Amino acid sequence: MPELRIDLHTHTTASDGSFAPKDLAKAAKEAGLSAIAVCDHDTTAGVRETQMAGQELGLEVVPGVEISALYAGGTMHILGYYCDMENPGFQADLQCILDGRNNRNPRIIARLNELGMEISLEDVEREAGGGVLGRPHFARAMMKKGYIKTVQEAFDEYLASNGKAFVPKEVYPPQKCVEAIVAAGGTAVLAHPKQLRRKSQAEIEAVVDELMQYGLQGVEAIHGDCEPETAEVYDAMARKRGLLVTGGSDFHGISKPDIHLGRGRFDYKIPYAYLEALKERRAAASTTS
Ligand code: AMP
Ligand code: ZN
Ligand code: FE
Ligand code: FE
């Protein structure tokens, strides 16, 4: 029997993915995946609909979220799997994080205006279509107006952390993000360690060690944008610490055209065994607590 393949990091139109939940489920099925996790930025709003579509198609859909943490110099995203989405405290935390995110948006617009671009918040909101607004929506609005040619160009010049129009989000520190996931019964996993932009592997490992003190349970060793050699380093980093290893493409649809669902940029095959290990860890924790 061929090995079952999965993707534990995907986005929908509930945040900055371009696939609506039901289209994501359909695409995952067509890509031959047996399970996906929906990990939208700071919201679980796309999970249920993807699960319902998945149920009809025979696709397992894991509830997930990708929480933005306050972090200098790079991006820290913490993935939360199997959080209780009905937990009011958890949804209140996500709302606080969304408020911090949304406070930033008019400030990015002001910067772009100062740089001579005629672009309004409404232009960007139109791109988001009611979903959580993220920088890829700014990039798409800039592209539509002809200020840049590709989403990547918008990031490189304006939106990345060293870009001319970058404004940081006022969100939670990492500890609070991990604790929010744990308090909602979820499993916290450090997303794409490479994007921490630390100078050395030792610095990345120090971040992981710190997060473990707050309840971190895993590392996303395989990430759609990360070279296989580096993924192996992250895999070893996780296993050395007894952490779970996870993997996902970070599929966003048209915002990242080179990142393929289930495969990323480097034709990854992510085994179902990763999800099985995650479930086993959860089951073991619930019988001992
Ligand atoms: P935001 O949620 O507004 O911070 O935007 C985060 C999203 O922007 C990420 O999930 C990526 O989709 C995209 N992104 C962040 N940094 C870059 C970059 N340097 N190049 C391309 N896309 C990026
Ligand atoms: Zn994104
Ligand atoms: Fe991310
Ligand atoms: Fe992501």
Side-chain angles (χ1 to χ4, degrees), residues 2-7 24-36 57-60 261-263 268-272:
E3 192 173 41
L4 298 180
R5 289 168 45 228
I6 61 170
D7 188 334
L24 178 71
K26 196 162 159 260
K29 191 71 192 170
E30 281 167 7
L33 301 178
S34 52
I36 59 168
L57 295 164
L59 172 80
E60 181 176 353
L261 189 56
R263 296 188 285 123
Y268 281 116
K269 290 180 180 59
I270 303 159
Y272 193 89

Side-chain angles (χ1 to χ4, degrees), residues 7 9-12 16-19 23-24 27-28 39-40 223-224 248-254 256-264:
D7 188 334
H9 189 159
T10 68
H11 292 264
T12 74
D16 55 2
S18 69
F19 279 47
D23 298 326
L24 178 71
C39 299
D40 276 309
H223 178 256
S249 66
D250 207 355
F251 180 72
H252 278 73
I254 56 164
K256 295 186 183 178
D258 305 343
I259 301 294
H260 304 285
L261 189 56
R263 296 188 285 123

Side-chain angles (χ1 to χ4, degrees), residues 7 9 152 155-156 192-195 197 220-231 234 247-252 255-260 262-268 270:
D7 188 334
H9 189 159
Q152 194 55 53
F155 271 93
D156 292 346
H192 41 62
K194 192 176 160 187
Q195 289 184 19
R197 298 203 186 285
E220 185 182 54
I222 295 181
H223 178 256
D225 222 0
C226 179
E227 306 74 19
E229 309 83 72
T230 313
Y234 297 151
S249 66
D250 207 355
F251 180 72
H252 278 73
S255 298
K256 295 186 183 178
D258 305 343
I259 301 294
H260 304 285
R263 296 188 285 123
R265 196 188 294 282
F266 299 96
D267 207 18
Y268 281 116
I270 303 159

Side-chain angles (χ1 to χ4, degrees), residues 193 201 204-205 218-223 226-247 268 271 274:
Q201 176 61 18
I204 293 178
E205 304 215 2
V219 169
E220 185 182 54
I222 295 181
H223 178 256
C226 179
E227 306 74 19
E229 309 83 72
T230 313
E232 276 177 33
V233 174
Y234 297 151
D235 184 288
M237 166 175 80
R239 289 181 199 278
K240 197 162 72 182
R241 290 168 170 76
L243 290 168
L244 292 162
V245 171
T246 74
Y268 281 116
Y274 285 10

